[in-house]
Amino acid sequence: MASVKQFQVTFDCAEPERVARFWCEVLGYVVPPPPEGFATWNDFDRSLPPERQGSAFACVDPSGVGPRLFFQRVPEGKAVKNRLHLCVRVGTGLVGEERLAALEAECARLLPLGAVRVRLLPADEDNESCLVMQDIEGNEFCLD
């Protein structure tokens, strides 16, 4: 059996480009170049049938290490807690107050982008602190 070399994380959302651009800012990702033959993604989007315009967007890790993120428009809104979420690793290797300071600094950077702070999960016997957040469409993620 061949091993998986790459994977993509797909988000269901109402506004794919808006959510993609939020995650570009969070992760330092970029929008890839438009398909060959199109000067911009807007040009490509206008070439699609009206019902498909604005229905998808993607962003990539400029270093090529992280997974591609794909955002697809769905008709239904978010109704329940995510079964899967991203953990943005801003406190790796840090403990105690130093870790909390890193989490709070990243939270402060993301709030003006439209992120919402949900709650701090304080350190316990097994885990260091993490901060639960929501993106601009209410999808949970953690600052870890």
Side-chain angles (χ1 to χ4, degrees), residues 20-21 23-31 59-62 65-69:
R21 291 190 183 280
W23 281 102
C24 282
E25 290 295 323
V26 172
L27 300 174
Y29 272 40
V30 297
V31 175
C59 59
V60 296
D61 179 352
V65 174
R68 178 178 190 253
L69 302 181

Side-chain angles (χ1 to χ4, degrees), residues 87-92 94 99 102-104 106-107 142-144:
C87 289
V88 180
R89 309 295 310 273
V90 297
T92 302
L94 303 176
R99 182 180 178 86
L103 299 178
E104 294 294 349
E106 184 65 2
C107 177
C142 291
L143 297 180
D144 180 5

